[in-house]
Structure formats: C-alpha cells, structure tokens
Amino acid sequence: KSGVALVADTYWQAKKAQKQLSIEWSKDTNVAKTVDDVFTLYRKAAKEDAGDVKRSEGDVESVFEEINDAFSAEFTTPFLAHATMEPMNCTAHVQDNKVDIWAPTQAPDLAAVAVAKVTDLDLSDIQIHNQFIGGGFGRRLSQDFVSEAAEISAKAGGVVKLVWSREEDTQHDLYRPATLHKIKVALDKNNMPAGWDHQIVAPNIMDWYVWDAAPAMFPWSPKFMYPTLGKVGLLTAGTPITPADTSAYEGADDIPYNFPALQVRHTKADAGLPVSYWRSVGHSHTAFAIESMVSELAHQANMDEVRFRKKFLSESPRTLGVLEKVAEIGQWGKNTEEGVFQGIAVHKSFGSYVAELVELKVVNNDIQLLRVYCAIDCGLVVNPDIVTMQMESGIIFGATAALYGEIILTTLFVVEYCQI
C-alpha cells in the first residue's frame, strides 16, 4: 500500500535491481511541496485562528491595550528525522494461521495492530519477537516498517527480511513536526516584560498516531472497528478515555518565569507530512523559542542574560538553582578569548530541570561548537552514570539537530500507479 517492494535472495541484489526500476509517480496535491509552502500554511493559520488557550494568567489583553511598547519575534523549527543508529528493518513470516514478526520496536502491541491491518489474521494469531532497539528516539513507536514487512510476506510468501537503506530511512521518516512560534511581549517603562503572549502553530502528533494506538488499547475488538476506535480516540482527546495531545505546546504552558500576565495558545495546522514523536517531543521546539525570546528580552533591557532570568525565577527555585550552577561552572561572562561567544538557557521537562551554557566560534561563516556545560536537577539519582549518558547523548543529539538536521523538501509524490 505504501509503494513498491522488491523481493530478492539478498539485500544487495534487491538494491541493485531497484536502480533498474522505471516508475511513473503522480503528485498528491493535498501535501505541501516545499518548506516555504509549510510555513505559508502556518502563517495563514495563525492569522485566521487565534488557537486554543493552554495557559492564561493575568489579563493579557488589557496589558497589551494599556502598553503600546511591545517586542515581538517569530521563531521557526524545521522537520527533523530520527536518524536511528539502525535503519528501519523487520523480518516477517506470514502463514495461514499465524504471523511471526522479528523487529526492533518501541511498541509491540501497536506492531501487532499494524500487522493485523494488512493480513487476514487476528491479534491473537500474531507473535511479536521484540529485538534490541538499535536506537529509537520515538521513531520505533510508529509501525509502518512492520506493516510493510508483513504485507510483503503475505503477498510474496515465506520469510521476508525488510531493510530500509539510510536514504529511504531519511526520506520516509515520520518527522519531528516543523513549528511556528509567534511571541509578543508588552514592555513596561523599564523595558521589563509586563505581558507575554505565545502562539504556537503546529500539527497534533496524535492525529497520525492514534490509528494504531487506539485499537491496541482494545485488543478484543474486531478489525472492522479499528477505524472507529481511531476516530473515537481523536474525539475523546483530553478526557479520561484518551490523554490530551500536548505535543505541540508542552514546555510552553509551564514556563517558570513569573511574568505579570501570560498567555499560551495553540493553533493546529497540518501540512500533510507524516509526523511522529521525536526525542523530547514538544520540548525540542518550545524550549528553543522561549529561551531565544528571553535572551532577546534581556538584550532589549540592556541586562545580563543570567541576571535577567534570575529576576523572574523567584517562584521556581530548582530552575534558579541549575541556572546559577551552570553559570558558575561555565564561568558565564568571564571568557576573554577573542571570537568566542557564550549562550545560556534553562528548561524543565519530564520532571527534570536543566541549564546549559554553550561556547562557540564562527570561523568563515561556519559554527564551531567548543564546549557545552550542563547542570541538571532530576531529583533522586539511583545511577549517576545513566544521568550522565542521558545528558551527553541529548547534547550531541540537540547539537546535531541544530547544526545539520534540517529536512529540506523539494517535491513530494505518492504512488497512484506504476509501470515496471
């Protein structure tokens, strides 16, 4: 259903045969064709839909009416691929009365649902043999690679080992969503924030994820009910039946800064590109937008960035603690080496408070990352090595995304017919 598969005795044989294919592809006019199209759609949505308010404190509208001086900025984040260490793969054996699946998956129950959809068998006939993950980062929560392998095995017969190349893995990922952040801040006579309005334009990940997730919650349900269960999952989001999808705005709705008036809004917009959970999910883009804006506000106030943040963190001592610690160990503001720049940020996610200080140089328009200092307050630590590994890998993952990870779209096509 998702394209064209080649079945051969070996991977390399199939890979060479793939180059000989002559396929005519037809355009899908319902999907954004370029990144510019995506953000054109987002900006249009931002104008036409004020969005759902996710946090409101104080009278933001009155503040902006009373104060004419406002500072606004727009931040965009790109689509990002997961780039798992091990590209997507699955071995499937579909037989008359059972299915065996060997795959590195983060959700074996969802994998079984994906297999049931493309075969004549029920969940009770499907055995998932879960393997070492090979890198997940949220990518292996989605089961497209599992359903592909099962469908190919069902049609071709026998055991099929599906392997995506790195190029296929990147081109056909379910990406971290691209997002648009529009932040407007009312400034008092001292250039201090009096009102904060943050509008986030992004899709809901659950719109893409629920179609396998909902049936997995009701394994006794017959397959003809799967579409209905997916629709029910969407309709009941935010109720005791289905958790709310906070992926677009998490981290923005609980910022620690005690600004006098604050409002956070989410405007839903979907460009039609498949999206899914990516490491740290919504925090990966909300932290960037918020902390970039806070740094801009410090500059507007002609104030040191650390001192500015501390002014508004009196109600979050744990955030304040990691900020002061990283400023100390990174010697904030004391680097005298010519051409070296420092940046600092704080954020809370998943019960942990983190501050990081970055030092970098720009040489021939190329960013050279020199050092990253990190302070984390994650509560009681059982194994310090795990915390260290999590933070080191997160720093590398984040730096890679910022410097190299942007996914560029040229023209997107889907298969309607093909001639081989």
Side-chain angles (χ1 to χ4, degrees), residues 72-118:
S72 60
E74 180 182 283
F75 303 93
T76 61
T77 61
F79 291 104
L80 293 173
H82 293 79
T84 55
M85 294 179 285
E86 175 186 303
M88 312 314 290
N89 66 93
C90 175
T91 300
H93 190 194
V94 178
Q95 302 156 74
D96 291 338
N97 58 355
K98 69 172 185 175
V99 180
D100 283 297
I101 297 290
W102 295 267
T105 173
Q106 290 175 260
D109 51 347
L110 272 65
V113 169
V115 173
K117 286 182 177 181
V118 296

Side-chain angles (χ1 to χ4, degrees), residues 63-294:
V63 169
F64 280 100
E65 288 177 1
E66 294 171 4
I67 299 178
N68 294 323
D69 192 9
F71 180 76
S72 60
E74 180 182 283
F75 303 93
T76 61
T77 61
F79 291 104
L80 293 173
H82 293 79
T84 55
M85 294 179 285
E86 175 186 303
M88 312 314 290
N89 66 93
C90 175
T91 300
H93 190 194
V94 178
Q95 302 156 74
D96 291 338
N97 58 355
K98 69 172 185 175
V99 180
D100 283 297
I101 297 290
W102 295 267
T105 173
Q106 290 175 260
D109 51 347
L110 272 65
V113 169
V115 173
K117 286 182 177 181
V118 296
T119 65
D120 296 328
L121 297 160
D122 297 322
L123 290 179
S124 58
D125 303 318
I126 299 167
Q127 179 68 45
I128 306 295
H129 306 276
N130 205 8
Q131 307 299 302
F132 289 118
I133 207 70
F137 316 123
R139 177 60 180 92
R140 301 188 198 279
L141 288 169
S142 300
Q143 308 302 318
D144 50 338
F145 62 106
V146 175
S147 62
E148 276 192 2
E151 187 177 5
I152 296 166
S153 176
K155 292 180 177 178
V159 181
V160 168
K161 180 180 181 180
L162 174 71
V163 180
W164 287 14
S165 68
R166 179 61 74 190
E167 293 82 0
E168 290 167 335
D169 184 38
T170 303
Q171 290 178 333
H172 300 283
D173 202 345
L174 287 88
Y175 303 107
R176 194 286 301 269
T179 67
L180 170 68
H181 294 256
K182 298 176 77 68
I183 305 178
K184 183 170 66 172
V185 180
L187 301 175
D188 64 18
K189 61 182 180 181
N190 297 316
N191 264 353
M192 289 291 120
W196 170 283
D197 180 64
H198 185 179
Q199 182 183 21
I200 303 165
V201 185
N204 280 339
I205 291 177
M206 190 58 72
D207 289 357
W208 294 86
Y209 189 69
V210 73
W211 304 101
D212 285 342
M217 294 175 63
F218 304 95
W220 44 262
S221 59
K223 284 195 285 186
F224 72 84
M225 287 185 60
Y226 286 3
T228 301
L229 291 171
K231 291 178 182 178
V232 170
L234 289 177
L235 292 172
T236 58
T239 71
I241 299 175
T242 306
D245 183 355
T246 63
S247 60
Y249 55 85
E250 61 184 1
D253 61 340
D254 64 347
I255 65 171
Y257 302 107
N258 54 331
F259 299 137
L262 183 149
Q263 181 173 261
V264 178
R265 300 175 283 132
H266 171 224
T267 298
K268 179 183 169 182
D270 198 317
L273 273 80
V275 295
S276 188
Y277 298 96
W278 188 91
R279 187 172 181 174
S280 79
V281 201
H283 297 276
S284 67
H285 57 86
T286 58
F288 160 72
I290 292 164
E291 286 301 285
S292 295
M293 188 62 169
V294 171

Side-chain angles (χ1 to χ4, degrees), residues 1-4 23-28 413-418:
K1 293 181 179 179
S2 58
V4 178
I23 303 177
E24 294 184 42
W25 307 92
S26 61
K27 294 182 180 179
D28 179 357
F413 300 90
V414 296
V415 181
E416 285 186 4
Y417 65 92
C418 62

